[in-house]
Amino acid sequence: MFNKFIASILPYFPKKFVWLFSKRYVSGETLEDAVKSSKELHVKGSGATIDLLGEFITELPEAETNKNVYAEIVERFGKEENLNVTFSIKPTSFGLLLDEELCYNYIREIIVKAQESNRLVQIDMEDSPCVDKELVLYKRLHAEFPKNVGLAIQAYLKRSDADVEMLSKMHTPETPVVIRLCKGIYQEPENIAFKKHDQINQKYLENLETFFKYGVYVGIATHDKFLVNGAYELIKKYDLKPEQYEFQMLYGVTPELRASIIKKGNNMRVYVPYGTDWFGYCTRRLKENPKMAGMIIKAIFIRG
């Protein structure tokens, strides 16, 4: 109850107060902030995936604006050839729920531009009403750009076993499937999503093993030490080389665990969000996952 209460009132706090905890998890408001953060991560042995904050637009002109900004992002990082950078996009910020065909065309434009510098565009998976639409979107784009588009899958959804099997069977050396596997953050009803921590972890490792069986390149997106250790065991079981998978983490989260994974010789990629919508991003995440509220209050007092 305390966490839900804090999550409900925090959006009404002054922005300066919310920034106290947000600044650790957001690289900044500008593209150059994201470039700077990516360079700092590079020095520490990590790649990055760039995310422009903003989702669930209400008007189509916003979709065109987001498309143009992403074109600038791709162009800017094209000048940083030494950086291992991909781009993460949320289809709802390109009008997925307003005009699916327009959304497809806008994202296709971004992928065409990313292809010029041989970079990947990763499609984030959003809440359950978007899942089927985003799978259709991915399959259309994958048919034309198999090496330049990836997709996120959420292990806590009960449908994910079937989706994982379907995506795995799409994978071939000529048409590779690239996946970010995460637990899932959206608040979904119990009839479509697992709720218990142990259940979600079990499904995560089952999904990861299925992908490994088929040779799919997976971004193992987790901060859970249990899942990291489980991934290590599967990597050993399937005798995978570091270039056949990577670990992924959020910006500012569990940096010590991140460093230990890199130290063991694994590839790492950090999700680097930036943009003026950082306030909306952080408060929305609190509503989706109220447990974060207690962690935030603790971080403010412990870290000052």
Side-chain angles (χ1 to χ4, degrees):
M1 290 298 293
F2 172 76
N3 287 340
K4 288 185 178 180
F5 173 70
I6 295 296
S8 67
I9 66 172
L10 205 56
Y12 302 100
F13 277 61
K15 272 192 170 186
K16 288 184 179 180
F17 176 80
V18 180
W19 182 246
L20 287 174
F21 72 85
S22 300
K23 64 182 179 181
R24 186 183 176 197
Y25 307 105
V26 177
S27 66
E29 293 191 344
T30 70
L31 176 54
E32 290 308 310
D33 290 328
V35 172
K36 179 183 176 183
S37 295
S38 300
K39 289 180 177 179
E40 292 170 350
L41 289 165
H42 176 74
V43 171
K44 295 177 180 178
S46 176
T49 186
I50 310 303
D51 172 51
L52 174 67
L53 295 174
E55 56 197 286
F56 295 108
I57 62 169
T58 57
E59 297 180 0
L60 284 178
E62 296 176 84
E64 184 175 12
T65 298
N66 289 334
K67 183 260 295 185
N68 291 337
V69 174
Y70 260 97
E72 293 175 11
I73 294 170
V74 174
E75 184 174 349
R76 176 64 182 87
F77 277 98
K79 300 174 183 177
E80 304 289 345
E81 296 180 2
N82 64 315
L83 296 182
N84 177 8
V85 170
T86 63
F87 310 103
S88 290
I89 61 173
K90 291 180 174 59
T92 56
S93 67
F94 296 89
L96 179 72
L97 301 180
L98 302 176
D99 188 327
E100 290 182 49
E101 192 64 22
L102 187 68
C103 172
Y104 163 78
N105 287 324
Y106 281 166
I107 293 176
R108 186 184 181 281
E109 285 185 46
I110 295 165
I111 295 173
V112 168
K113 196 164 188 65
Q115 192 179 39
E116 296 172 4
S117 55
N118 195 30
R119 297 193 191 267
L120 182 82
V121 175
Q122 193 95 32
I123 297 174
D124 284 343
M125 188 62 73
E126 301 177 85
D127 62 358
S128 54
C130 299
V131 174
D132 281 321
K133 296 177 187 293
E134 287 168 352
L135 282 167
V136 170
L137 176 67
Y138 170 74
K139 286 189 280 188
R140 286 184 69 185
L141 293 166
H142 180 265
E144 188 174 0
F145 309 101
K147 297 181 180 180
N148 296 97
V149 62
L151 181 70
I153 287 291
Q154 301 172 110
Y156 76 155
L157 291 180
K158 294 180 178 179
R159 60 170 293 164
S160 287
D161 282 350
D163 293 335
V164 167
E165 192 74 21
M166 177 271 295
L167 290 164
S168 295
K169 289 179 178 178
M170 286 173 54
H171 174 80
T172 71
E174 295 75 28
T175 59
V177 169
V178 178
I179 294 293
R180 173 190 294 133
L181 180 62
C182 56
K183 286 186 179 183
I185 190 175
Y186 298 96
Q187 289 293 319
E188 301 287 5
E190 194 168 356
N191 64 311
I192 65 170
F194 296 106
K195 295 294 185 178
K196 294 181 180 178
H197 180 265
D198 290 347
Q199 281 183 315
I200 297 170
N201 278 0
Q202 179 184 345
K203 298 311 296 185
Y204 188 102
L205 292 176
E206 288 175 2
N207 291 162
L208 181 60
E209 182 161 19
T210 299
F211 282 133
F212 281 171
K213 281 180 181 177
Y214 283 89
V216 173
Y217 187 94
V218 183
I220 307 164
T222 184
H223 306 94
D224 188 322
K225 289 183 180 180
F226 175 82
L227 292 182
V228 170
N229 289 330
Y232 285 157
E233 292 176 8
L234 289 173
I235 289 165
K236 183 178 180 180
K237 178 179 179 179
Y238 289 92
D239 193 26
L240 299 180
K241 305 295 185 289
E243 61 270 18
Q244 293 177 283
Y245 64 91
E246 66 185 43
F247 285 86
Q248 296 185 358
M249 291 187 168
L250 296 172
Y251 187 78
V253 181
T254 60
E256 296 84 3
L257 180 58
R258 182 207 313 161
S260 73
I261 292 171
I262 295 172
K263 190 174 181 179
K264 291 179 185 292
N266 301 287
N267 291 320
M268 172 65 68
R269 187 175 307 281
V270 174
Y271 194 88
V272 179
Y274 89 92
T276 56
D277 190 36
W278 63 264
F279 183 84
Y281 167 80
C282 293
T283 53
R284 277 194 298 273
R285 291 298 166 268
L286 278 176
K287 290 178 181 178
E288 291 157 2
N289 190 356
K291 291 180 181 179
M292 291 173 62
M295 297 165 61
I296 289 164
I297 297 300
K298 182 179 178 182
I300 289 173
F301 286 100
I302 290 177
R303 295 179 177 274

